[in-house]
Amino acid sequence: MAKLTDPQQTEEAAQRLLNDRMDYIRRAITARGALNEAREALKEAEKNDVQAFQAAVNNGGWTADELKKIGLAAPDKVQRVQRRRKATSTSSDTHASSAQNGGDTEPEQ
């Protein structure tokens, strides 16, 4: 290790070391910013995809099955919502039929 007796040389050596370390921070900050921008762009693209698919079904006269047959499956978000709706309606249907049977959980024989 070299002995540095000149304060200015010592300060310059320390500054070079700090600059090298700061380069890593700058790259990390830049990468994180790019990642956040990409996530926002992905959210926007997914929203546009869902809206376009729903417009094709609701306004364009297409069915989800027809679109699937031509290679345009429902976006993941639509599929999750549809599954959640089916599960909710199935459980409420079960509760409704249970209430009609006087609260019995087993069907009458």
Side-chain angles (χ1 to χ4, degrees):
M1 180 154 66
K3 286 187 179 181
L4 298 174
T5 55
D6 180 7
Q8 187 166 350
Q9 283 181 331
T10 305
E11 186 179 322
E12 288 171 1
Q15 190 63 51
R16 282 192 300 273
L17 289 173
L18 285 174
N19 288 342
D20 289 345
R21 293 177 70 194
M22 288 302 294
D23 283 342
Y24 287 100
I25 296 300
R26 288 182 192 102
R27 282 184 257 161
I29 290 169
T30 301
R32 184 65 53 88
L35 177 62
N36 289 337
E37 287 177 16
R39 284 181 176 149
E40 288 302 314
L42 177 60
K43 284 181 191 176
E44 185 68 20
E46 287 177 330
K47 182 179 97 175
N48 292 339
D49 182 41
V50 168
Q51 289 174 345
F53 186 86
Q54 287 176 331
V57 172
N58 296 334
N59 303 328
W62 292 93
T63 67
D65 285 338
E66 289 172 329
L67 293 172
K68 186 176 182 179
K69 286 178 186 175
I70 62 172
L72 187 62
D76 289 338
K77 276 189 165 185
V78 170
Q79 291 174 351
R80 284 194 305 262
V81 170
Q82 288 172 343
R83 274 188 292 227
R84 199 175 315 128
R85 282 186 190 147
K86 285 179 184 174
T88 303
S89 65
T90 302
S91 63
S92 56
D93 290 346
T94 303
H95 292 300
S97 65
S98 173
Q100 289 173 352
N101 292 334
D104 294 337
T105 55
E106 294 180 19
E108 295 180 16
Q109 302 264 340

